[in-house]
């Protein structure tokens, strides 16, 4: 509505629209539904109180206060606030560009008939779907054979064009796992193999210009290491101040009776009682477990879990945003 600019004698009320500027001297605003018009006057059906239905200047954002902190990822929550203050432009970081390829002679693209011993390339699709959710452009280099020359030919241009390089497969101890050898040749290895389950054969290092992430070949291992290791790192590269989602502490409806030397990420979901239950088969090749589950139980190394214990739970809904 338009601001009221007329005279306002004492003992009178005036009509304004919701959201309109409050005329000077206003002590309260009474909703139309709480009034009754008749004759030459207005009857209030409720007793007004001082300041009723008045939004004070600066109650949302006081002059001189910080609107948003540096390192915050802009989302549908922050953009309306910026717009309400008339802020048309803000300084942001450019999107990262990440190159990715899968390795393995046995891998075949979707739509290709499988011969004996072949499997479809699935790992790349999970990582590619995750990257845009954290504001990253993906350069897909496809499937590469287990051949050092082919790997070298793909890595060198990726090192020039991208900010990081991700591979899936080729970082284990098989005779055809050449990725580690290539990283030693062209760059340096930060670490290779982690005490986590699944995801032990994870490689991290540096090429001349880009960071390198070697994800395991097993599909569940690839997805989980992408979520718990790759995701926070690329968020930090973009300047994000918060890179890990908050953990939820929920009650276990299962038992872990044998200690494991590795930190475990167990696929789990809530049952009808609101407690966490585990997928029956925690094998790193069982992709149906990641669809069935609602998230991961983060179980530290050498830790037993009794039914009824509180455990740290990482929901997929937060790991995938």
């Amino acid at each position: 509505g338009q601001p009221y600019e007329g005279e306002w004698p004492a003992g009178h009320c005036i009509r304004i629209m919701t959201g309109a500027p409050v005329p000077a001297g206003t002590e309260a605003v009474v909703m139309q539904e709480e009034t009754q018009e008749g004759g030459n006057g207005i009857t209030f059906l409720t007793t007004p109180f001082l300041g009723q239905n008045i939004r004070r200047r600066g109650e949302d954002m006081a002059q001189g206060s910080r609107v948003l902190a540096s390192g915050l990822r802009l989302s549908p929550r922050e953009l309306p606030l910026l717009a309400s203050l008339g802020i048309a432009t803000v300084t942001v970081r450019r999107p990262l560009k990440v190159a990715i390829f899968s390795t393995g002679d046995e891998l075949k693209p979707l739509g290709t008939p499988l011969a004996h011993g072949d499997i479809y390339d699935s790992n790349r699709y999970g990582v590619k779907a995750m990257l845009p959710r954290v504001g990253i452009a993906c350069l897909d280099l496809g499937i590469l054979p287990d051949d050092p020359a082919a790997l070298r030919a793909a890595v060198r241009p990726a090192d020039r064009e991208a900010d990081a390089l991700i591979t899936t497969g080729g970082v284990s101890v098989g005779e055809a796992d050449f990725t580690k050898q290539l990283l030693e040749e062209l760059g340096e290895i930060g670490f290779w193999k982690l005490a986590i389950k699944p995801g032990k054969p994870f490689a991290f290092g540096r090429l001349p210009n880009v960071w390198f992430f070697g994800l395991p070949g097993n599909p569940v291992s690839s997805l989980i290491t992408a979520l718990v290791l790759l995701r926070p790192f690329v968020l930090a590269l973009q300047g994000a101040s918060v890179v890990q989602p908050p953990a939820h502490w929920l009650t276990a409806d299962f038992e872990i009776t044998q200690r494991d030397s590795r930190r475990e990420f167990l696929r789990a979901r809530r049952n009808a009682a609101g407690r966490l239950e585990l997928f029956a088969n925690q094998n790193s090749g069982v992709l149906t477990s990641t669809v069935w589950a609602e998230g991961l139980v983060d179980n530290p190394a050498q830790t037993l879990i009794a039914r009824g214990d509180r455990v740290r739970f990482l929901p997929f809904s937060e790991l995938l945003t």
Side-chain angles (χ1 to χ4, degrees):
Q2 299 297 318
Y4 181 80
E5 304 290 357
E7 295 184 5
W8 188 3
H12 288 67
C13 63
I14 59 174
R15 181 192 294 268
I16 64 172
M17 301 298 291
T18 300
V22 178
T26 300
E27 296 176 332
V29 175
V30 181
M31 294 171 54
Q32 178 176 297
E33 295 86 346
E34 297 176 352
T35 66
Q36 183 175 333
E37 185 176 0
N40 296 322
I42 296 291
T43 300
F44 296 154
L45 303 180
T46 60
T47 302
F49 58 86
L50 187 64
Q52 177 177 328
N53 294 323
I54 295 176
R55 295 177 180 172
R56 298 295 177 184
R57 181 178 298 172
E59 72 175 15
D60 185 13
M61 183 63 62
Q63 186 174 4
S65 61
R66 183 173 64 178
V67 179
L68 297 174
S70 176
L72 186 69
R73 296 172 61 197
L74 294 180
S75 75
R77 295 183 300 159
E78 291 78 26
L79 294 176
L81 175 58
L82 294 173
S84 72
L85 297 171
I87 299 174
T89 59
V90 291
T91 301
V92 297
R93 301 219 179 196
R94 69 168 178 84
L96 294 181
K97 181 184 290 185
V98 173
I100 180 173
F101 62 79
S102 300
T103 63
D105 293 337
E106 76 283 6
L107 297 180
K108 295 296 180 285
L110 300 182
T112 303
L114 296 181
H116 180 67
D118 291 343
I119 58 173
Y120 288 119
D121 176 26
S122 61
N123 295 352
R124 211 162 26 100
Y125 292 94
V127 179
K128 283 176 58 180
M130 181 199 73
L131 293 175
R133 292 171 178 251
V134 290
I136 293 176
C138 185
L139 177 62
D140 188 356
L141 303 180
I143 303 171
L144 299 182
D146 290 320
D147 177 72
L151 293 172
R152 192 177 294 108
V155 166
R156 283 175 170 159
D159 185 51
R160 295 191 299 267
E161 300 175 24
D163 300 292
L165 173 62
I166 303 168
T167 69
T168 69
V171 292
S172 190
V173 293
E175 293 182 358
D177 291 337
F178 299 113
T179 305
K180 178 173 177 283
Q181 301 174 25
L182 188 65
L183 183 58
E184 290 176 322
E185 173 190 334
L186 301 179
E188 59 182 85
I189 297 176
F191 56 80
W192 178 61
K193 292 186 180 181
L194 291 175
I196 63 174
K197 180 181 179 179
K200 178 180 178 181
F202 178 91
F204 173 78
R206 180 77 182 173
L207 292 167
N209 301 303
V210 303
W211 297 100
F212 172 83
F213 301 86
L215 306 186
N218 273 323
V220 177
S221 300
S222 176
L223 178 62
I224 289 179
T225 53
L227 294 178
V228 302
L229 297 173
L230 171 63
R231 177 185 177 275
F233 192 94
V234 294
L235 282 174
L237 282 182
Q238 295 182 102
S241 56
V242 178
V243 299
Q244 295 283 13
H248 301 258
W249 291 89
L250 301 179
T251 302
D253 204 4
F254 61 88
E255 296 179 338
I256 299 295
T257 58
Q258 292 186 333
R259 300 183 188 276
D260 198 297
S261 60
R262 292 182 284 170
R263 179 179 178 182
E264 293 183 280
F265 293 94
L266 306 163
R267 282 82 79 198
R269 74 178 182 189
R270 282 165 289 195
N271 56 24
R275 297 188 167 201
L276 290 174
E277 59 183 3
L278 298 184
F279 191 76
N281 188 347
Q282 293 285 321
N283 189 286
S284 59
V286 182
L287 272 174
T288 50
S289 66
T290 61
V291 177
W292 175 90
E294 294 177 350
L296 304 171
V297 172
D298 182 2
N299 190 37
Q302 303 292 348
T303 302
L304 302 179
I305 297 176
R307 201 175 304 272
D309 284 351
R310 302 283 283 177
V311 294
R312 188 170 184 262
F313 184 64
L314 307 174
F316 282 141
S317 59
E318 297 180 15
L319 286 170
L320 291 170
T321 57

